[in-house]
Amino acid sequence: TLVLRIRACGGGGDGGATGAESRDCYLKMYAEKKPDKVDPNEQRLSKWLNCSLSNEPLKEPCVVDFLGNVFNKEPLVEALLGKKVPKAFGHIKGLKDMITVHFSPIPGTESNRRSSAAGPRFQCPISGVEFNGKCKFLALKTCGHVLSAKALKEVKSSTCLVCHAGFSEADKIVINGN
């Protein structure tokens, strides 16, 4: 027995081109710029090294709200005076809602900056852990010193490890917490 199967060429679904596409269509498709993906490490560093309000590099004097957001004091006070505080920071009504904090700069970072826009880098004055978001940091309400959780855990004390001012668990504010 002989079986004849008739097969038509170009019926579609075979992955081939239909001839309707032109070279120009492909060039336009691949020429479109796709948005660059944001590096999560850069996002984390930006949150820890820049003011939450103005996005400028942190510089003294700095303040922290009760939620752990870090601000440069001047832009925050200007926003409060001009009544231009974003809704995200609506819980800040005045100076009483801020705590002045003291950061310990890493020695030599001011002269070895990556770019002119980058500010100084900070560290824990006790453990030397860099203030960059990889480790948990706490601000003490009583004195304003910013210490790593690692230092407070290793040296169990109810006084600040820098100035020896007393504090309780309620006086600890987690910096940039969830």
Side-chain angles (χ1 to χ4, degrees), residues 94-107:
L95 294 173
K96 66 184 183 323
D97 297 324
M98 298 182 265
I99 298 162
T100 302
V101 292
H102 309 287
F103 290 110
S104 300
I106 297 174

Side-chain angles (χ1 to χ4, degrees), residues 68-132:
N69 298 309
V70 185
F71 303 95
N72 287 332
K73 191 171 186 177
E74 290 177 27
L76 185 58
V77 170
E78 287 173 9
L80 284 169
L81 289 174
K83 298 186 191 249
K84 296 180 181 177
V85 179
K87 287 183 180 181
F89 305 119
H91 60 279
I92 301 172
K93 303 293 182 201
L95 294 173
K96 66 184 183 323
D97 297 324
M98 298 182 265
I99 298 162
T100 302
V101 292
H102 309 287
F103 290 110
S104 300
I106 297 174
T109 56
E110 196 61 36
S111 60
N112 296 334
R113 292 190 287 185
R114 290 183 194 174
S115 69
S116 59
R121 305 284 279 241
F122 304 109
Q123 69 179 0
C124 172
I126 305 303
S127 64
V129 174
E130 189 173 351
F131 183 77
N132 60 10

